[in-house]
CSV table of all heavy atoms in Angstrom, one decimal:
chain,number,residue,atom,x,y,z
A,1,MET,N,11.9,27.7,0.4
A,1,MET,CA,13.0,26.7,0.1
A,1,MET,C,12.4,25.3,0.0
A,1,MET,O,11.4,25.0,0.7
A,1,MET,CB,14.0,26.7,1.2
A,1,MET,CG,15.2,25.9,0.8
A,1,MET,SD,16.6,26.4,2.0
A,1,MET,CE,17.4,24.8,2.1
A,2,THR,N,12.9,24.5,-0.9
A,2,THR,CA,12.3,23.2,-1.2
A,2,THR,C,13.3,22.1,-0.8
A,2,THR,O,14.5,22.4,-0.8
A,2,THR,CB,11.9,23.1,-2.7
A,2,THR,OG1,11.4,21.8,-2.9
A,2,THR,CG2,13.0,23.4,-3.6
A,3,ASP,N,12.8,20.9,-0.6
A,3,ASP,CA,13.7,19.8,-0.3
A,3,ASP,C,13.9,18.9,-1.5
A,3,ASP,O,14.4,17.8,-1.4
A,3,ASP,CB,13.1,18.9,0.8
A,3,ASP,CG,13.3,19.6,2.2
A,3,ASP,OD1,14.2,20.5,2.3
A,3,ASP,OD2,12.6,19.2,3.1
A,4,ASP,N,13.4,19.4,-2.7
A,4,ASP,CA,13.6,18.6,-3.9
A,4,ASP,C,15.0,18.4,-4.3
A,4,ASP,O,15.8,19.3,-4.1
A,4,ASP,CB,12.8,19.2,-5.1
A,4,ASP,CG,11.3,19.2,-4.9
A,4,ASP,OD1,10.8,18.5,-4.0
A,4,ASP,OD2,10.6,19.9,-5.7
A,5,VAL,N,15.4,17.3,-4.8
A,5,VAL,CA,16.7,17.0,-5.3
A,5,VAL,C,16.5,16.7,-6.8
A,5,VAL,O,15.7,15.9,-7.2
A,5,VAL,CB,17.4,15.8,-4.7
A,5,VAL,CG1,18.7,15.5,-5.3
A,5,VAL,CG2,17.6,16.1,-3.2
A,6,VAL,N,17.2,17.5,-7.7
A,6,VAL,CA,17.0,17.4,-9.1
A,6,VAL,C,18.4,17.0,-9.7
A,6,VAL,O,19.4,17.7,-9.5
A,6,VAL,CB,16.5,18.7,-9.7
A,6,VAL,CG1,16.4,18.5,-11.2
A,6,VAL,CG2,15.1,19.0,-9.1
A,7,LEU,N,18.4,15.9,-10.4
A,7,LEU,CA,19.6,15.5,-11.1
A,7,LEU,C,19.4,15.6,-12.6
A,7,LEU,O,18.3,15.3,-13.1
A,7,LEU,CB,20.0,14.1,-10.8
A,7,LEU,CG,20.3,13.7,-9.3
A,7,LEU,CD1,20.6,12.3,-9.2
A,7,LEU,CD2,21.5,14.5,-8.9
A,8,GLN,N,20.4,16.1,-13.3
A,8,GLN,CA,20.4,16.1,-14.7
A,8,GLN,C,21.3,15.0,-15.2
A,8,GLN,O,22.5,15.0,-14.9
A,8,GLN,CB,20.8,17.4,-15.3
A,8,GLN,CG,20.6,17.5,-16.8
A,8,GLN,CD,20.8,18.9,-17.3
A,8,GLN,OE1,21.0,19.9,-16.5
A,8,GLN,NE2,20.9,19.1,-18.6
A,9,LEU,N,20.8,14.0,-16.0
A,9,LEU,CA,21.6,12.9,-16.4
A,9,LEU,C,21.7,12.9,-17.9
A,9,LEU,O,20.8,13.2,-18.6
A,9,LEU,CB,20.9,11.6,-16.0
A,9,LEU,CG,20.6,11.3,-14.5
A,9,LEU,CD1,19.8,10.1,-14.3
A,9,LEU,CD2,21.8,11.3,-13.7
A,10,ASP,N,22.9,12.4,-18.4
A,10,ASP,CA,23.0,12.2,-19.8
A,10,ASP,C,22.1,11.0,-20.1
A,10,ASP,O,21.8,10.2,-19.2
A,10,ASP,CB,24.5,12.0,-20.2
A,10,ASP,CG,25.1,10.8,-19.5
A,10,ASP,OD1,25.6,11.0,-18.3
A,10,ASP,OD2,25.0,9.7,-20.0
A,11,ARG,N,21.8,10.8,-21.4
A,11,ARG,CA,20.9,9.7,-21.8
A,11,ARG,C,21.4,8.3,-21.4
A,11,ARG,O,20.7,7.5,-20.9
A,11,ARG,CB,20.6,9.8,-23.3
A,11,ARG,CG,19.6,8.7,-23.7
A,11,ARG,CD,18.9,9.1,-25.0
A,11,ARG,NE,17.8,8.2,-25.2
A,11,ARG,CZ,16.6,8.4,-24.9
A,11,ARG,NH1,16.2,9.5,-24.3
A,11,ARG,NH2,15.6,7.5,-25.1
A,12,ALA,N,22.7,8.1,-21.6
A,12,ALA,CA,23.3,6.7,-21.3
A,12,ALA,C,23.1,6.4,-19.8
A,12,ALA,O,22.7,5.3,-19.4
A,12,ALA,CB,24.7,6.7,-21.7
A,13,SER,N,23.4,7.4,-18.9
A,13,SER,CA,23.3,7.2,-17.5
A,13,SER,C,21.8,7.0,-17.1
A,13,SER,O,21.5,6.2,-16.3
A,13,SER,CB,23.8,8.4,-16.7
A,13,SER,OG,25.2,8.5,-17.0
A,14,ALA,N,20.9,7.8,-17.7
A,14,ALA,CA,19.5,7.6,-17.4
A,14,ALA,C,19.0,6.2,-17.8
A,14,ALA,O,18.2,5.6,-17.1
A,14,ALA,CB,18.7,8.7,-18.1
A,15,GLU,N,19.4,5.8,-19.0
A,15,GLU,CA,19.0,4.4,-19.5
A,15,GLU,C,19.6,3.4,-18.5
A,15,GLU,O,18.9,2.4,-18.2
A,15,GLU,CB,19.5,4.2,-20.9
A,15,GLU,CG,18.7,5.0,-21.9
A,15,GLU,CD,19.2,5.0,-23.3
A,15,GLU,OE1,20.3,4.5,-23.5
A,15,GLU,OE2,18.5,5.5,-24.2
A,16,ASP,N,20.9,3.5,-18.1
A,16,ASP,CA,21.5,2.6,-17.2
A,16,ASP,C,20.7,2.5,-15.9
A,16,ASP,O,20.4,1.4,-15.3
A,16,ASP,CB,22.9,2.9,-16.9
A,16,ASP,CG,23.8,2.6,-18.1
A,16,ASP,OD1,23.5,1.9,-19.0
A,16,ASP,OD2,25.0,3.2,-18.1
A,17,LEU,N,20.4,3.7,-15.4
A,17,LEU,CA,19.7,3.7,-14.1
A,17,LEU,C,18.3,3.1,-14.2
A,17,LEU,O,17.9,2.3,-13.3
A,17,LEU,CB,19.5,5.2,-13.6
A,17,LEU,CG,18.8,5.4,-12.3
A,17,LEU,CD1,19.6,4.7,-11.2
A,17,LEU,CD2,18.8,6.9,-12.0
A,18,HIS,N,17.6,3.4,-15.3
A,18,HIS,CA,16.3,2.8,-15.5
A,18,HIS,C,16.4,1.2,-15.6
A,18,HIS,O,15.7,0.5,-14.9
A,18,HIS,CB,15.7,3.3,-16.8
A,18,HIS,CG,14.4,2.7,-17.1
A,18,HIS,ND1,14.3,1.6,-18.0
A,18,HIS,CD2,13.1,3.0,-16.7
A,18,HIS,CE1,13.0,1.2,-18.1
A,18,HIS,NE2,12.3,2.1,-17.4
A,19,GLU,N,17.4,0.8,-16.3
A,19,GLU,CA,17.6,-0.7,-16.5
A,19,GLU,C,17.9,-1.4,-15.2
A,19,GLU,O,17.4,-2.4,-14.8
A,19,GLU,CB,18.7,-1.0,-17.5
A,19,GLU,CG,18.9,-2.5,-17.7
A,19,GLU,CD,19.9,-2.8,-18.7
A,19,GLU,OE1,20.5,-1.9,-19.4
A,19,GLU,OE2,20.2,-4.0,-18.9
A,20,VAL,N,18.8,-0.8,-14.4
A,20,VAL,CA,19.3,-1.4,-13.2
A,20,VAL,C,18.1,-1.4,-12.1
A,20,VAL,O,17.9,-2.4,-11.4
A,20,VAL,CB,20.6,-0.8,-12.6
A,20,VAL,CG1,20.4,0.5,-11.9
A,20,VAL,CG2,21.3,-1.8,-11.7
A,21,LEU,N,17.3,-0.3,-12.1
A,21,LEU,CA,16.2,-0.3,-11.2
A,21,LEU,C,15.2,-1.4,-11.6
A,21,LEU,O,14.6,-2.1,-10.7
A,21,LEU,CB,15.5,1.1,-11.1
A,21,LEU,CG,16.4,2.2,-10.4
A,21,LEU,CD1,15.7,3.5,-10.7
A,21,LEU,CD2,16.6,1.8,-9.0
A,22,TRP,N,15.0,-1.5,-12.9
A,22,TRP,CA,14.0,-2.6,-13.3
A,22,TRP,C,14.6,-4.0,-13.0
A,22,TRP,O,13.8,-4.8,-12.5
A,22,TRP,CB,13.8,-2.4,-14.8
A,22,TRP,CG,12.9,-3.4,-15.4
A,22,TRP,CD1,11.5,-3.3,-15.4
A,22,TRP,CD2,13.2,-4.7,-16.0
A,22,TRP,NE1,11.0,-4.5,-16.0
A,22,TRP,CE2,12.0,-5.3,-16.3
A,22,TRP,CE3,14.4,-5.4,-16.2
A,22,TRP,CZ2,12.0,-6.6,-16.9
A,22,TRP,CZ3,14.4,-6.6,-16.8
A,22,TRP,CH2,13.2,-7.2,-17.1
A,23,LEU,N,15.9,-4.2,-13.3
A,23,LEU,CA,16.5,-5.5,-13.0
A,23,LEU,C,16.4,-5.8,-11.5
A,23,LEU,O,16.0,-7.0,-11.1
A,23,LEU,CB,18.0,-5.5,-13.3
A,23,LEU,CG,18.3,-5.7,-14.8
A,23,LEU,CD1,19.8,-5.5,-15.0
A,23,LEU,CD2,17.9,-7.1,-15.2
A,24,VAL,N,16.7,-4.9,-10.6
A,24,VAL,CA,16.6,-5.1,-9.2
A,24,VAL,C,15.2,-5.5,-8.8
A,24,VAL,O,15.0,-6.5,-8.1
A,24,VAL,CB,17.1,-3.9,-8.4
A,24,VAL,CG1,16.8,-4.0,-6.9
A,24,VAL,CG2,18.6,-3.7,-8.6
A,25,GLY,N,14.2,-4.7,-9.3
A,25,GLY,CA,12.8,-5.0,-8.9
A,25,GLY,C,12.4,-6.4,-9.4
A,25,GLY,O,11.8,-7.2,-8.7
A,26,GLU,N,12.7,-6.7,-10.6
A,26,GLU,CA,12.3,-8.0,-11.2
A,26,GLU,C,13.0,-9.2,-10.5
A,26,GLU,O,12.4,-10.2,-10.2
A,26,GLU,CB,12.6,-8.0,-12.7
A,26,GLU,CG,11.7,-7.1,-13.5
A,26,GLU,CD,10.2,-7.6,-13.5
A,26,GLU,OE1,10.0,-8.8,-13.8
A,26,GLU,OE2,9.4,-6.7,-13.2
A,27,HIS,N,14.3,-9.0,-10.3
A,27,HIS,CA,15.0,-10.1,-9.6
A,27,HIS,C,14.6,-10.3,-8.2
A,27,HIS,O,14.6,-11.4,-7.7
A,27,HIS,CB,16.5,-9.9,-9.8
A,27,HIS,CG,17.0,-10.2,-11.2
A,27,HIS,ND1,16.7,-9.4,-12.3
A,27,HIS,CD2,17.6,-11.3,-11.7
A,27,HIS,CE1,17.2,-9.9,-13.4
A,27,HIS,NE2,17.8,-11.1,-13.1
A,28,LEU,N,14.4,-9.2,-7.5
A,28,LEU,CA,13.9,-9.3,-6.1
A,28,LEU,C,12.5,-10.0,-6.0
A,28,LEU,O,12.2,-10.8,-5.1
A,28,LEU,CB,13.8,-8.0,-5.4
A,28,LEU,CG,15.2,-7.3,-5.0
A,28,LEU,CD1,15.0,-5.9,-4.5
A,28,LEU,CD2,15.9,-8.2,-4.0
A,29,ALA,N,11.7,-9.7,-7.0
A,29,ALA,CA,10.3,-10.3,-7.0
A,29,ALA,C,10.4,-11.8,-7.1
A,29,ALA,O,9.5,-12.5,-6.6
A,29,ALA,CB,9.5,-9.7,-8.2
A,30,VAL,N,11.4,-12.3,-7.8
A,30,VAL,CA,11.4,-13.8,-8.0
A,30,VAL,C,12.6,-14.4,-7.2
A,30,VAL,O,13.0,-15.5,-7.4
A,30,VAL,CB,11.5,-14.2,-9.5
A,30,VAL,CG1,10.2,-13.8,-10.2
A,30,VAL,CG2,12.7,-13.6,-10.2
A,31,ASP,N,13.2,-13.6,-6.3
A,31,ASP,CA,14.3,-14.0,-5.5
A,31,ASP,C,15.5,-14.6,-6.4
A,31,ASP,O,16.0,-15.7,-6.1
A,31,ASP,CB,13.9,-15.1,-4.5
A,31,ASP,CG,14.9,-15.2,-3.3
A,31,ASP,OD1,15.6,-14.3,-3.0
A,31,ASP,OD2,14.9,-16.3,-2.8
A,32,ALA,N,15.8,-13.9,-7.4
A,32,ALA,CA,16.9,-14.3,-8.3
A,32,ALA,C,18.1,-13.5,-8.2
A,32,ALA,O,18.0,-12.4,-7.6
A,32,ALA,CB,16.4,-14.2,-9.8
A,33,THR,N,19.2,-14.0,-8.6
A,33,THR,CA,20.5,-13.3,-8.5
A,33,THR,C,20.5,-12.2,-9.6
A,33,THR,O,20.1,-12.4,-10.7
A,33,THR,CB,21.7,-14.2,-8.7
A,33,THR,OG1,21.6,-15.2,-7.7
A,33,THR,CG2,23.0,-13.5,-8.6
A,34,ILE,N,21.0,-11.0,-9.2
A,34,ILE,CA,21.1,-9.9,-10.2
A,34,ILE,C,22.4,-10.1,-11.0
A,34,ILE,O,23.5,-10.3,-10.4
A,34,ILE,CB,21.1,-8.6,-9.5
A,34,ILE,CG1,19.8,-8.4,-8.7
A,34,ILE,CG2,21.3,-7.4,-10.5
A,34,ILE,CD1,19.8,-7.2,-7.8
A,35,PRO,N,22.3,-10.2,-12.3
A,35,PRO,CA,23.5,-10.4,-13.1
A,35,PRO,C,24.5,-9.2,-13.0
A,35,PRO,O,24.1,-8.1,-12.8
A,35,PRO,CB,23.0,-10.6,-14.5
A,35,PRO,CG,21.7,-9.8,-14.5
A,35,PRO,CD,21.1,-9.9,-13.1
A,36,PRO,N,25.8,-9.5,-13.2
A,36,PRO,CA,26.8,-8.4,-13.2
A,36,PRO,C,26.5,-7.5,-14.3
A,36,PRO,O,26.0,-7.9,-15.4
A,36,PRO,CB,28.1,-9.2,-13.4
A,36,PRO,CG,27.8,-10.6,-13.3
A,36,PRO,CD,26.4,-10.8,-13.4
A,37,LEU,N,26.8,-6.2,-14.1
A,37,LEU,CA,26.6,-5.2,-15.1
A,37,LEU,C,28.0,-5.0,-15.8
A,37,LEU,O,29.0,-5.2,-15.2
A,37,LEU,CB,26.2,-3.9,-14.5
A,37,LEU,CG,24.9,-3.9,-13.7
A,37,LEU,CD1,24.7,-2.6,-12.9
A,37,LEU,CD2,23.7,-4.2,-14.6
A,38,PRO,N,27.9,-4.5,-17.1
A,38,PRO,CA,29.1,-4.2,-17.8
A,38,PRO,C,29.9,-3.1,-17.1
A,38,PRO,O,29.3,-2.3,-16.4
A,38,PRO,CB,28.6,-3.7,-19.1
A,38,PRO,CG,27.3,-4.2,-19.3
A,38,PRO,CD,26.7,-4.3,-17.9
A,39,HIS,N,31.2,-3.1,-17.2
A,39,HIS,CA,32.1,-2.2,-16.5
A,39,HIS,C,31.7,-0.7,-16.8
A,39,HIS,O,31.6,0.1,-15.9
A,39,HIS,CB,33.5,-2.4,-17.0
A,39,HIS,CG,34.5,-1.4,-16.4
A,39,HIS,ND1,34.9,-1.5,-15.1
A,39,HIS,CD2,35.1,-0.3,-16.9
A,39,HIS,CE1,35.7,-0.5,-14.8
A,39,HIS,NE2,35.9,0.3,-15.9
A,40,GLU,N,31.4,-0.4,-18.1
A,40,GLU,CA,31.0,1.0,-18.4
A,40,GLU,C,29.7,1.4,-17.7
A,40,GLU,O,29.6,2.5,-17.2
A,40,GLU,CB,30.8,1.1,-19.9
A,40,GLU,CG,30.6,2.5,-20.4
A,40,GLU,CD,30.6,2.5,-22.0
A,40,GLU,OE1,31.7,2.5,-22.6
A,40,GLU,OE2,29.5,2.6,-22.5
A,41,THR,N,28.8,0.5,-17.6
A,41,THR,CA,27.5,0.8,-16.9
A,41,THR,C,27.8,1.0,-15.4
A,41,THR,O,27.3,2.0,-14.8
A,41,THR,CB,26.5,-0.4,-17.0
A,41,THR,OG1,26.2,-0.6,-18.4
A,41,THR,CG2,25.3,-0.2,-16.2
A,42,ASN,N,28.7,0.2,-14.8
A,42,ASN,CA,29.0,0.4,-13.4
A,42,ASN,C,29.7,1.8,-13.2
A,42,ASN,O,29.4,2.4,-12.2
A,42,ASN,CB,30.0,-0.7,-12.9
A,42,ASN,CG,29.3,-2.0,-12.5
A,42,ASN,OD1,28.1,-1.9,-12.1
A,42,ASN,ND2,29.9,-3.1,-12.7
A,43,GLU,N,30.6,2.2,-14.1
A,43,GLU,CA,31.2,3.5,-14.0
A,43,GLU,C,30.2,4.6,-14.1
A,43,GLU,O,30.3,5.5,-13.3
A,43,GLU,CB,32.2,3.6,-15.1
A,43,GLU,CG,33.5,2.7,-15.0
A,43,GLU,CD,34.4,3.1,-13.9
A,43,GLU,OE1,34.6,4.3,-13.7
A,43,GLU,OE2,34.8,2.2,-13.1
A,44,ARG,N,29.3,4.5,-15.0
A,44,ARG,CA,28.3,5.6,-15.2
A,44,ARG,C,27.4,5.7,-13.9
A,44,ARG,O,27.1,6.7,-13.4
A,44,ARG,CB,27.4,5.4,-16.4
A,44,ARG,CG,28.1,6.0,-17.7
A,44,ARG,CD,27.1,6.0,-18.8
A,44,ARG,NE,26.5,4.8,-19.2
A,44,ARG,CZ,27.0,4.0,-20.2
A,44,ARG,NH1,28.1,4.4,-20.8
A,44,ARG,NH2,26.5,2.8,-20.5
A,45,LEU,N,26.9,4.5,-13.5
A,45,LEU,CA,26.1,4.5,-12.3
A,45,LEU,C,26.8,4.9,-11.0
A,45,LEU,O,26.2,5.6,-10.1
A,45,LEU,CB,25.4,3.1,-12.1
A,45,LEU,CG,24.4,2.8,-13.2
A,45,LEU,CD1,23.9,1.3,-13.0
A,45,LEU,CD2,23.2,3.7,-13.2
A,46,GLY,N,28.1,4.6,-11.0
A,46,GLY,CA,28.9,5.1,-9.8
A,46,GLY,C,28.9,6.6,-9.8
A,46,GLY,O,28.8,7.2,-8.7
A,47,ARG,N,29.0,7.3,-11.0
A,47,ARG,CA,29.0,8.7,-11.0
A,47,ARG,C,27.7,9.3,-10.6
A,47,ARG,O,27.6,10.3,-9.9
A,47,ARG,CB,29.4,9.2,-12.4
A,47,ARG,CG,30.9,9.0,-12.7
A,47,ARG,CD,31.4,9.7,-14.0
A,47,ARG,NE,30.8,9.2,-15.2
A,47,ARG,CZ,31.2,8.1,-15.9
A,47,ARG,NH1,32.3,7.5,-15.5
A,47,ARG,NH2,30.6,7.7,-17.0
A,48,VAL,N,26.6,8.6,-11.1
A,48,VAL,CA,25.2,9.0,-10.7
A,48,VAL,C,25.1,9.0,-9.2
A,48,VAL,O,24.6,9.9,-8.5
A,48,VAL,CB,24.2,8.2,-11.4
A,48,VAL,CG1,22.8,8.5,-10.8
A,48,VAL,CG2,24.2,8.5,-12.9
A,49,ILE,N,25.5,7.8,-8.6
A,49,ILE,CA,25.3,7.7,-7.1
A,49,ILE,C,26.2,8.7,-6.4
A,49,ILE,O,25.7,9.3,-5.4
A,49,ILE,CB,25.7,6.2,-6.7
A,49,ILE,CG1,24.7,5.3,-7.3
A,49,ILE,CG2,25.9,6.1,-5.2
A,49,ILE,CD1,25.1,3.8,-7.2
A,50,SER,N,27.4,9.0,-6.8
A,50,SER,CA,28.2,10.0,-6.2
A,50,SER,C,27.6,11.4,-6.3
A,50,SER,O,27.5,12.1,-5.3
A,50,SER,CB,29.6,10.0,-6.8
A,50,SER,OG,30.3,8.9,-6.6
A,51,THR,N,27.0,11.7,-7.4
A,51,THR,CA,26.4,13.0,-7.6
A,51,THR,C,25.1,13.1,-6.7
A,51,THR,O,24.9,14.1,-6.1
A,51,THR,CB,26.0,13.2,-9.1
A,51,THR,OG1,27.1,13.1,-9.9
A,51,THR,CG2,25.2,14.5,-9.3
A,52,LEU,N,24.4,12.0,-6.6
A,52,LEU,CA,23.2,12.0,-5.8
A,52,LEU,C,23.6,12.2,-4.3
A,52,LEU,O,23.0,12.9,-3.6
A,52,LEU,CB,22.4,10.7,-6.0
A,52,LEU,CG,21.1,10.6,-5.1
A,52,LEU,CD1,20.2,11.7,-5.4
A,52,LEU,CD2,20.5,9.2,-5.4
A,53,GLY,N,24.6,11.5,-3.9
A,53,GLY,CA,25.1,11.6,-2.5
A,53,GLY,C,25.5,13.0,-2.2
A,53,GLY,O,25.2,13.6,-1.1
A,54,ARG,N,26.2,13.7,-3.1
A,54,ARG,CA,26.7,15.1,-2.9
A,54,ARG,C,25.4,16.0,-2.8
A,54,ARG,O,25.4,16.9,-2.0
A,54,ARG,CB,27.6,15.5,-4.0
A,54,ARG,CG,29.0,15.0,-3.8
A,54,ARG,CD,30.0,15.7,-4.7
A,54,ARG,NE,29.6,15.6,-6.1
A,54,ARG,CZ,29.9,14.5,-6.9
A,54,ARG,NH1,30.6,13.5,-6.5
A,54,ARG,NH2,29.5,14.6,-8.2
A,55,SER,N,24.4,15.7,-3.7
A,55,SER,CA,23.2,16.5,-3.7
A,55,SER,C,22.5,16.4,-2.3
A,55,SER,O,21.8,17.3,-1.9
A,55,SER,CB,22.3,16.1,-4.8
A,55,SER,OG,22.9,16.4,-6.1
A,56,LEU,N,22.6,15.2,-1.7
A,56,LEU,CA,21.9,15.0,-0.4
A,56,LEU,C,22.8,15.4,0.7
A,56,LEU,O,22.4,15.3,1.9
A,56,LEU,CB,21.6,13.5,-0.3
A,56,LEU,CG,20.6,13.0,-1.3
A,56,LEU,CD1,20.5,11.4,-1.2
A,56,LEU,CD2,19.2,13.6,-1.0
A,57,GLY,N,24.0,15.9,0.4
A,57,GLY,CA,24.9,16.4,1.5
A,57,GLY,C,25.7,15.3,2.2
A,57,GLY,O,26.2,15.5,3.3
A,58,GLU,N,25.8,14.1,1.5
A,58,GLU,CA,26.5,13.0,2.1
A,58,GLU,C,27.9,12.9,1.6
A,58,GLU,O,28.2,13.3,0.5
A,58,GLU,CB,25.8,11.7,1.8
A,58,GLU,CG,24.4,11.6,2.3
A,58,GLU,CD,23.6,10.3,1.9
A,58,GLU,OE1,24.2,9.4,1.3
A,58,GLU,OE2,22.4,10.3,2.2
A,59,ALA,N,28.8,12.5,2.5
A,59,ALA,CA,30.2,12.3,2.1
A,59,ALA,C,30.3,11.0,1.4
A,59,ALA,O,29.5,10.1,1.6
A,59,ALA,CB,31.1,12.3,3.3
A,60,ALA,N,31.2,10.9,0.4
A,60,ALA,CA,31.5,9.7,-0.3
A,60,ALA,C,31.9,8.6,0.6
A,60,ALA,O,32.7,8.8,1.5
A,60,ALA,CB,32.5,9.9,-1.4
A,61,PRO,N,31.3,7.4,0.5
A,61,PRO,CA,31.7,6.3,1.4
A,61,PRO,C,33.0,5.7,1.2
A,61,PRO,O,33.5,4.8,1.9
A,61,PRO,CB,30.6,5.2,1.2
A,61,PRO,CG,30.1,5.5,-0.2
A,61,PRO,CD,30.3,7.0,-0.5
A,62,PHE,N,33.7,6.1,0.2
A,62,PHE,CA,35.1,5.6,-0.1
A,62,PHE,C,36.1,6.7,-0.4
A,62,PHE,O,35.8,7.8,-0.5
A,62,PHE,CB,35.0,4.6,-1.3
A,62,PHE,CG,34.1,5.1,-2.4
A,62,PHE,CD1,34.6,5.9,-3.4
A,62,PHE,CD2,32.8,4.7,-2.5
A,62,PHE,CE1,33.8,6.4,-4.4
A,62,PHE,CE2,32.0,5.1,-3.5
A,62,PHE,CZ,32.5,6.0,-4.5
């Protein structure tokens, strides 16, 4: 048995996740405010986070 967690993402969600991780890293590096994301991006990333939480056996925080 393995402890790996594998998610399958649609392309838009994968691109959003990549962009937000890059934004967070870049903005933290220079202590800048992270700009708000478009509503559609927030919705997709919310689904990714929920799926990841379920895969990790965590209950939804809301």
Side-chain angles (χ1 to χ4, degrees):
M1 191 164 148
T2 177
D3 285 340
D4 292 348
V5 174
V6 178
L7 297 178
Q8 185 171 353
L9 304 174
D10 60 272
R11 183 157 190 95
S13 295
E15 288 172 348
D16 288 343
L17 182 58
H18 178 266
E19 181 178 355
V20 80
L21 290 172
W22 182 84
L23 278 172
V24 168
E26 290 295 309
H27 284 74
L28 287 175
V30 296
D31 197 28
T33 301
I34 298 168
L37 300 171
H39 178 75
E40 190 173 277
T41 300
N42 279 330
E43 291 290 319
R44 276 194 297 267
L45 290 176
R47 288 190 295 272
V48 170
I49 290 168
S50 293
T51 300
L52 180 57
R54 284 191 304 274
S55 295
L56 294 170
E58 298 177 7
F62 41 87

